[in-house]
Amino acid sequence: ATYFGLFQELTQRKQDVLQFDRPVLADLLRELEGRYGRRFIEVAFDPRTNDLRAGVMVLVNGRRIEFGAPLQDGDEVAFMIAMAGGGS
């Protein structure tokens, strides 16, 4: 797992290497909650919608995936907050 922005601040790390048997994204989030505390989940997950919070991006190998999607050995999972911007 790779962390950017607020997630890097919460974990005080840039990256973790984690191993699971047949994991899905939800399993990874539970593991990270165990390592980094409830705040990690509060930032990432909205219990009202039972999905990631608006603005939170979790990319697997550079692509967005569904919350219950399976992860494969060697997948790179990145956590970040989407930044609004623009204008010229």
Side-chain angles (χ1 to χ4, degrees):
T2 304
Y3 312 109
F4 297 92
L6 181 57
F7 290 104
Q8 189 173 349
E9 291 176 26
L10 288 170
T11 62
Q12 295 294 298
R13 301 176 61 98
K14 290 184 178 185
Q15 191 171 37
D16 277 315
V17 176
L18 305 157
Q19 294 184 355
F20 296 91
D21 291 327
R22 294 188 295 267
V24 295
L25 182 56
D27 296 328
L28 176 58
L29 286 171
R30 280 190 289 276
E31 173 67 21
L32 295 174
E33 177 185 21
R35 287 179 181 224
Y36 300 115
R38 185 77 188 147
R39 181 77 177 124
F40 191 95
I41 293 299
E42 290 170 350
V43 168
F45 187 76
D46 186 345
R48 293 173 294 157
T49 62
N50 205 31
D51 204 348
L52 295 172
R53 287 194 181 278
V56 171
M57 292 178 44
V58 178
L59 304 178
V60 177
N61 303 322
R63 299 179 63 196
R64 288 185 187 207
I65 64 167
E66 296 293 321
F67 188 66
L71 300 173
Q72 303 297 318
D73 188 32
D75 280 349
E76 184 176 315
V77 182
F79 291 86
M80 62 191 75
I81 304 292
M83 299 298 290
S88 37

